[in-house]
Amino acid sequence: MKIQNLLLGFVAAVLTLSASAQQPIVIKFSHVVAADTPKGKASEFFAKKAAELTKNKVKVEVYANSSLYKDKEEMEALQLGAVQMLAPSLAKFGPLGAKEFEVFDFPYIFDDTADLHKITQGAIGASILAKLEPKGIKGLAFWDNGFKSFSANTPIKTPADLKGKKLRIQSSKVLEEQIRSVGGLPQVMAFSEVYQALQTGVVDGTENPISNFETQKMYEVQKHLSLTNHGYLGYAVIVNKKFWEGLPADVRGQLEQAMKEATVYANKIAQEENDNSLEKVKKSGKTTIYTPSKEEKMAFKKAMAPTHSKMADRVGKDLLQSIYKETGFDPNTI
Ligand code: LMR
């Protein structure tokens, strides 16, 4: 009898062990934008690839639209390990103390995506991601979104049209200075609160790539959108470092491959998604879309140029210079 009990106990223990061995490793991936955006689609793509390459050893659960955490909370949650993966916009790393990320917020620093990729896909980008390691965070990749445009309830053709306007921005000191350079009043606010703030007049306007403007339905509450393309908004995909380093090496390798493929996908669809969103905004008939002329664009560029010298120390003069060198941008020639 005793031996029988022992045997039964042994069998039960083996069964429990093998059941737990089959439990997938769960990665909670939280983000603040709609599923139908470059970041939303790329995170779903990563989840699928991760399942495929790890043969379901890893289950990535994607939580879109701030359904799990808002901007600031998600960073804290990642550091605490309550969520394993995020893709915050680059403008949101300043409050963590990783000020170098704000270099991406300098107005007009990238002429186009080719310029941007010289940084995000090169040594400078890697060195910026490495700044996160002492904070318990590992940076895995940069994902594109696109260039930002201004919206408000009044037309925006010149920098003077933004004077005195309360404009929502992300939590970046460089963005604060950029708004001040055109006489606007910067208002830092979580992404999930922007629609209501625009609707109730808590703020007058905002800046965003068109994919966010459209999928958050900001066109319902903004009469004017001016395609200023004055700055860049993109993402760093990050993980809790301890979690990442604690993964079995083979699984981590498969996830790295999934991330590589998701990054190619993200950067391939970003422009397309923004173009589609612009069409949808046009079709809505609710927002008047204005394309500034070359001269008007130059006036924005000139007005915002002092942001570069004023905020150089914030991100580090050497870093800023190294980017100018790669992209050929020179704020002194504007
Ligand atoms: C914003 O807050 O405007 C953006 O960072 C949202 C996003 O993640 O694209």
Side-chain angles (χ1 to χ4, degrees), residues 101-132:
F101 280 77
E102 291 183 13
V103 82
F104 292 97
D105 299 334
F106 279 74
Y108 296 101
I109 191 161
F110 306 112
D111 242 0
D112 51 27
T113 314
D115 265 359
L116 168 77
H117 287 172
K118 285 181 195 158
I119 307 307
T120 53
Q121 297 178 3
I124 299 177
S127 76
I128 295 175
L129 286 182
K131 303 281 177 200
L132 296 171

Side-chain angles (χ1 to χ4, degrees), residues 186-208:
Q187 313 277 312
V188 174
M189 186 181 291
F191 186 65
S192 56
E193 288 159 15
V194 180
Y195 179 92
Q196 213 189 353
L198 292 169
Q199 189 181 38
T200 55
V202 167
V203 291
D204 302 307
T206 187
E207 54 164 19
N208 244 302

Side-chain angles (χ1 to χ4, degrees), residues 32-33 39 71 87 89 92 145 168 170 191 207-208 212 233 235:
V32 300
V33 296
K39 177 163 64 177
D71 304 1
S89 78
K92 288 183 183 158
N145 187 342
R168 181 269 170 176
Q170 306 173 79
F191 186 65
E207 54 164 19
N208 244 302
N212 282 343
L233 189 151
Y235 310 107

Side-chain angles (χ1 to χ4, degrees), residues 2-290:
K2 256 190 181 169
I3 287 188
Q4 249 180 352
N5 277 349
L6 269 176
L7 265 175
L8 278 175
F10 177 73
V11 170
V14 168
L15 283 176
T16 316
L17 262 178
S18 67
S20 71
Q22 280 160 20
Q23 288 293 316
I25 300 165
V26 173
I27 295 182
K28 288 188 182 170
F29 188 154
S30 166
H31 69 79
V32 300
V33 296
D36 195 16
T37 55
K39 177 163 64 177
K41 288 190 172 178
S43 52
E44 291 292 353
F45 182 102
F46 172 71
K48 250 197 205 145
K49 267 284 150 205
E52 187 187 311
L53 295 180
T54 65
K55 302 205 169 33
N56 295 316
K57 274 193 218 142
V58 172
K59 184 171 189 291
V60 179
E61 295 174 354
V62 179
Y63 298 88
N65 246 334
S66 311
S67 55
L68 210 51
Y69 299 108
K70 290 185 193 176
D71 304 1
K72 212 174 120 210
E73 300 162 2
E74 66 173 16
M75 287 285 198
E76 287 161 8
L78 184 89
Q79 284 182 299
L80 290 170
V83 63
Q84 290 72 36
M85 192 172 279
L86 305 172
S89 78
L90 304 168
K92 288 183 183 158
F93 287 88
L96 267 187
K99 300 173 198 158
E100 296 81 0
F101 280 77
E102 291 183 13
V103 82
F104 292 97
D105 299 334
F106 279 74
Y108 296 101
I109 191 161
F110 306 112
D111 242 0
D112 51 27
T113 314
D115 265 359
L116 168 77
H117 287 172
K118 285 181 195 158
I119 307 307
T120 53
Q121 297 178 3
I124 299 177
S127 76
I128 295 175
L129 286 182
K131 303 281 177 200
L132 296 171
E133 303 240 352
K135 301 175 197 311
I137 297 173
K138 174 129 189 87
L140 298 180
F142 288 102
W143 284 357
D144 290 356
N145 187 342
F147 291 90
K148 296 173 292 181
S149 286
F150 281 118
S151 65
N153 278 324
T154 45
I156 308 159
K157 296 185 177 174
T158 69
D161 293 332
L162 294 170
K163 200 160 177 221
K165 296 253 182 272
K166 284 179 274 169
L167 299 171
R168 181 269 170 176
I169 53 161
Q170 306 173 79
S171 58
S172 151
K173 297 290 173 207
V174 172
L175 293 181
E176 266 184 53
E177 188 53 41
Q178 171 209 259
I179 297 297
R180 285 204 191 93
S181 72
V182 290
L185 307 169
Q187 313 277 312
V188 174
M189 186 181 291
F191 186 65
S192 56
E193 288 159 15
V194 180
Y195 179 92
Q196 213 189 353
L198 292 169
Q199 189 181 38
T200 55
V202 167
V203 291
D204 302 307
T206 187
E207 54 164 19
N208 244 302
I210 314 301
S211 68
N212 282 343
F213 186 80
E214 183 260 316
T215 54
Q216 296 297 316
K217 300 199 180 335
M218 293 182 199
Y219 57 85
E220 292 179 352
V221 289
Q222 294 276 267
K223 292 200 174 73
H224 294 272
L225 172 68
S226 185
L227 303 178
T228 45
N229 289 318
H230 57 276
Y232 174 70
L233 189 151
Y235 310 107
V237 189
I238 57 176
V239 274
N240 177 293
K241 188 169 183 280
K242 206 166 148 206
F243 166 80
W244 191 250
E245 288 171 355
L247 288 171
D250 58 335
V251 170
R252 197 171 47 243
Q254 288 152 352
L255 291 177
E256 277 164 1
Q257 180 59 27
M259 184 54 64
K260 226 183 196 172
E261 293 180 36
T263 301
V264 170
Y265 171 79
N267 297 351
K268 183 173 152 278
I269 64 162
Q271 186 60 49
E272 257 161 63
E273 290 292 317
N274 277 293
D275 292 347
N276 291 343
S277 283
L278 185 60
E279 281 312 306
K280 287 186 191 162
V281 175
K282 271 184 197 158
K283 275 203 187 117
S284 79
K286 295 195 168 171
T287 303
T288 305
I289 300 167
Y290 184 72

Side-chain angles (χ1 to χ4, degrees), residues 311-322:
M311 298 310 285
D313 283 339
R314 167 116 183 128
V315 296
K317 280 199 172 95
D318 290 349
L319 173 63
L320 200 55
Q321 287 299 334
S322 67

